[in-house]
Amino acid sequence: ELKVEQNPLFLSMQEGKNYTIYCNYSTTSDRLYWYRQDPGKSLESLFVLLSNGAVKQEGRLMASLDTKARLSTLHITAAVHDLSATYFCAGGPTGAGNMLTFGGGTRLMVKP
Amino acid sequence: DADVTQTPRNRITKTGKRIMLECSQTKGHDRMYWYRQDPGLGLRLIYYSFDVKDINKGEISDGYSVSRQAQAKFSLSLESAIPNQTALYFCATSLLGRDAGELFFGEGSRLTVL
């Protein structure tokens, strides 16, 4: 059974700073997804990582996947207030189709 | 209009009542899911359906049932609601295939059981 752990669970940071959210998973997963959720809203897909070494960037966010280390990271560069949200990673066991297991989420607050 | 629509968006009910949450989608996706979100626990899968004739239990199916009325419709029922089913419920859809495993979520249905 795949288990997905994110850390930190809560992150308060100043605008302009850099930080990384970590997503560890317990068994083989050949794909990893990152989602964003604004308070009271739905989840929005950010990144889809489908192979070892995959790196994707969108604006101030960059996600990477290391399947050998069972680790994905979401790096935030020069944070701005608009990035304040909860970020979830989700992994899928190899061969399990679209079945995803979600991490507990990282609540990010970016202060001016 | 949203591609994945959930109704109701908010519902307050009493213990023992039967509740149905409905989900419809216009994305043309075959696969549909029901997830439950509790603070600090992420999302947990309740049921999923890969097509109209295929229904599968997820991680936390006890106390819930589902019906896939059509490719575009997937409803979640709580036959006898209890307070620990108070949560935010999400319907999601996806395409077939490994490279299309990305989930598309509805707006959520907030359920409170008193």
Side-chain angles (χ1 to χ4, degrees):
Chain A
E1 178 186 349
L2 177 66
K3 295 193 183 300
V4 180
E5 290 189 0
Q6 289 180 236
N7 68 84
L9 298 182
F10 180 76
L11 176 58
S12 179
M13 56 191 300
Q14 297 286 344
E15 280 192 331
K17 298 293 186 182
N18 303 333
Y19 208 83
T20 300
I21 299 171
Y22 296 89
C23 176
N24 293 89
Y25 52 94
S26 61
T27 62
T28 302
S29 175
D30 56 358
R31 56 212 167 90
L32 199 290
Y33 302 82
W34 285 94
Y35 292 87
R36 169 180 171 148
Q37 184 182 35
D38 292 307
K41 301 294 186 181
S42 185
L43 282 80
E44 172 192 4
S45 178
L46 289 176
F47 298 108
V48 178
L49 305 168
L50 296 177
S51 61
N52 185 40
V55 177
K56 295 217 175 155
Q57 183 163 4
E58 180 72 33
R60 301 174 187 273
L61 299 178
M62 183 174 71
S64 65
L65 177 62
D66 182 343
T67 58
K68 295 180 181 178
R70 297 177 183 170
L71 171 68
S72 180
T73 60
L74 180 65
H75 186 73
I76 303 155
T77 301
V80 293
H81 179 70
D82 285 352
L83 290 180
S84 297
T86 299
Y87 294 86
F88 292 95
C89 63
T94 301
N98 296 108
M99 305 312 304
L100 298 185
T101 298
F102 282 79
T106 297
R107 185 180 172 202
L108 172 67
M109 290 184 60
V110 181
K111 299 179 179 180
Chain B
D1 289 341
D3 293 325
V4 184
T5 303
Q6 293 183 229
T7 56
R9 296 290 311 281
N10 286 284
R11 182 71 183 268
I12 299 174
T13 190
K14 295 182 179 179
T15 297
K17 295 291 187 181
R18 183 178 187 272
I19 296 296
M20 179 180 286
L21 306 179
E22 298 184 324
C23 176
S24 63
Q25 53 118 344
T26 58
K27 298 187 75 67
H29 289 171
D30 288 311
R31 299 186 170 192
M32 298 187 74
Y33 309 78
W34 276 104
Y35 281 89
R36 166 178 172 158
Q37 184 178 28
D38 297 279
L41 295 178
L43 276 75
R44 292 181 292 167
L45 183 62
I46 306 172
Y47 271 95
Y48 61 100
S49 170
F50 285 175
D51 64 45
V52 174
K53 297 180 180 179
D54 178 80
I55 302 289
N56 302 281
K57 293 182 178 181
E59 179 187 355
I60 54 165
S61 60
D62 288 348
Y64 302 94
S65 62
V66 291
S67 174
R68 184 83 183 264
Q69 299 95 326
Q71 189 213 28
K73 296 184 182 295
F74 192 37
S75 60
L76 176 71
S77 293
L78 288 68
E79 295 301 326
S80 180
I82 56 177
N84 75 2
Q85 291 178 312
T86 293
L88 182 58
Y89 292 85
F90 284 102
C91 174
T93 71
S94 71
L95 287 167
L96 291 170
R98 174 178 175 276
D99 290 344
E102 181 181 10
L103 295 176
F104 297 86
F105 288 87
E107 296 291 318
S109 296
R110 184 168 297 280
L111 176 65
T112 302
V113 183
L114 301 176

